[in-house]
């Protein structure tokens, strides 16, 4: 799996995960669906580790990486699952688009690196205006949508913190499958405790859309998605990793409309367009400016050589 393919897998998984979470929570209570997903994913990961890594399994020296990565599962995932009871799957994905800004701020304090060039600041500001448009409309509608918004903002903070700490720790020597299993093993006790405290009833296990959604989330969303993400995190520049949440919202909203019949309001369309514009400014303009600067240097050097050659010929 090369970095470009892993990057595309992460985008595809992140675009489909919010809708799958919402579908899984239609029949099972949110915490129940989360526990089922990661319990099944842990079993699958154990089998894959035994198959491909023999007796190596989890390593004691990597426990810090497992613990940090587990923050992206617990307490992050219960917040995401609970949020889908109040807001659409498309809005869940859109709210995750605040992650680049949060990761950028955290990287200043943790990584001692400032990723915010003037153009990137402009791009993020445009994207944040789009988020304000969307969130403001949701809150103005009344009801309990604000609970889902707050849960997703807290989830984004936890997710961003986990990513920045992993980047600071340097996990380049850890196999992505091993790290995925380690993260789930460390997160399962918290998930089980959350399930026990919630006292949510467990309905009969039947084969329906929610069950298939749990299976998809356990296999593709957790195993393949986590492996690809951890691989991307250690091989792709950190700024590009932060762009993934800006790419996926429109795909997630389209799937929500097509499959679940979710309604996309005008404010959600406007906000999404602003987020895409912010993405273009954040990613494309800096690269274009760099190419123009490089071309200018080449042209200047070529003109200097021509002038020097002309002067020598005249002498």
């Amino acid at each position: 799996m090369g970095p470009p393919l892993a990057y595309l897998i992460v985008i595809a998984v992140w675009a489909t995960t919010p809708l799958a979470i919402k579908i899984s929570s239609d029949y099972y209570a949110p915490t129940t669906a989360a526990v089922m997903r990661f319990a099944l994913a842990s079993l699958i990961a154990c089998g894959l580790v035994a198959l491909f890594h023999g007796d190596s399994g989890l390593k004691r020296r990597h426990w810090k990486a497992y613990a940090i990565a587990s923050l992206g599962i617990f307490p992050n995932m219960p917040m995401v699952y609970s949020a889908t009871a109040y807001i659409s799957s498309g809005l869940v994905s859109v709210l995750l688009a605040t992650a680049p800004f949060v990761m950028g701020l955290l990287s200043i304090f943790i990584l001692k690196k400032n990723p915010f060039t003037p153009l990137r600041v402009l791009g993020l500001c445009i994207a944040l205006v789009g988020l304000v448009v969307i969130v403001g409309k949701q809150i103005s509608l009344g009801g309990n949508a604000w609970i889902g918004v707050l849960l997703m903002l807290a989830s984004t903070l936890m997710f961003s913190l986990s990513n920045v700490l992993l980047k600071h720790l340097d996990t380049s020597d850890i196999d992505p499958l091993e790290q995925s299993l380690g993260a789930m093993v460390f997160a399962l006790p918290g998930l089980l405790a959350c399930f026990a405290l919630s006292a949510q009833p467990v309905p009969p296990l039947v084969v329906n859309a929610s069950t298939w959604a749990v299976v998809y989330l356990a296999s593709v969303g957790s195993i393949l998605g986590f492996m690809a993400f951890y691989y991307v995190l250690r091989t792709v520049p950190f700024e590009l990793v932060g762009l993934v949440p800006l790419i996926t919202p429109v795909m997630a909203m389209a799937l929500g409309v097509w499959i679940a019949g979710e309604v996309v309001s005008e404010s959600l369309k406007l906000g999404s367009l602003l987020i895409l514009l912010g993405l273009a400014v954040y990613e494309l303009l800096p690269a274009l400016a760099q190419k123009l600067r490089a071309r200018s240097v080449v042209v200047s050097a070529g003109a200097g050589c021509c002038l020097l050659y002309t002067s020598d010929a005249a002498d």
Side-chain angles (χ1 to χ4, degrees):
M1 181 190 301
L5 175 60
Y7 196 78
L8 291 176
I9 290 174
V10 171
I11 291 174
V13 170
W14 282 26
T16 54
T17 292
L19 179 59
I21 289 176
K22 195 170 186 69
I23 293 175
S24 70
S25 299
D26 287 341
Y27 181 72
Y28 302 104
T31 307
T32 303
V35 170
M36 291 175 61
R37 168 188 176 180
F38 288 103
L40 177 59
S42 297
L43 291 175
I44 296 173
C46 284
L48 291 175
V49 167
L51 180 63
F52 293 108
H53 297 281
D55 297 328
S56 60
L58 302 181
K59 300 177 178 63
R60 182 176 298 179
R61 68 177 183 273
H62 293 154
W63 72 268
K64 288 184 179 179
Y66 304 151
I68 292 171
S70 71
L71 297 176
I73 301 174
F74 181 83
N76 178 39
M77 282 300 170
M79 291 187 286
V80 176
Y81 273 77
S82 298
T84 59
Y86 303 100
I87 56 179
S88 68
S89 62
L91 184 54
V92 167
S93 183
V94 169
L95 289 172
L96 279 174
T98 58
F101 183 67
V102 178
M103 284 191 284
L105 289 176
L106 291 174
S107 66
I108 295 174
F109 299 102
I110 298 175
L111 302 180
K112 308 301 180 184
K113 179 183 178 182
N114 184 4
F116 294 112
T117 62
L119 281 176
R120 287 197 168 120
V121 169
L122 176 61
L124 284 173
C125 287
I126 295 173
L128 286 173
V129 170
L131 288 173
V132 169
V133 170
I134 294 170
V135 174
K137 183 63 176 178
Q138 289 290 321
I139 293 176
S140 68
L141 292 176
N144 294 324
W146 62 273
I147 297 177
V149 171
L150 289 180
L151 286 170
M152 282 310 304
L153 292 177
S155 166
T156 302
L157 175 60
M158 190 59 60
F159 169 79
S160 301
L161 178 62
S162 175
N163 290 341
V164 174
L165 289 175
L166 281 176
K167 199 70 174 180
H168 180 63
L169 187 63
D170 183 15
T171 59
S172 57
D173 63 330
I174 305 178
D175 180 79
L177 178 57
E178 174 200 338
Q179 186 164 342
S180 300
L181 175 58
M184 288 186 286
V185 167
F186 269 67
L188 270 177
L191 288 172
L192 291 172
C194 188
F195 170 73
L197 291 173
S198 67
Q200 295 174 342
V202 181
L205 183 62
V206 297
V207 179
N208 55 22
S210 295
T211 306
W212 285 117
V214 170
V215 173
Y216 171 80
L217 289 167
S219 55
V220 178
S222 298
I223 304 298
L224 181 60
F226 283 4
M227 286 176 59
F229 179 70
Y230 292 140
Y231 181 75
V232 164
L233 195 62
R234 74 185 194 190
T235 58
V236 174
F238 191 54
E239 291 77 11
L240 288 180
V241 176
L243 286 177
V244 173
L246 285 174
I247 300 173
T248 54
V250 173
M251 298 172 61
M253 283 190 293
L255 288 172
V257 172
W258 180 41
I259 297 176
E262 294 179 347
V263 178
V264 180
S265 63
E266 293 300 321
S267 61
L268 192 53
K269 291 178 183 177
L270 175 60
S272 300
L273 286 174
L274 287 171
I275 289 173
L276 288 178
L277 176 60
L279 169 62
V281 172
Y282 188 98
E283 175 60 15
L284 300 180
L285 287 189
L288 179 60
Q290 186 175 1
K291 288 182 179 180
L292 290 176
R293 284 195 297 270
R295 183 176 299 178
S296 177
V297 169
V298 171
V299 171
S300 298
C305 289
C306 289
L307 288 174
L308 180 61
Y309 175 79
T310 304
S311 177
D312 290 343
D315 290 341

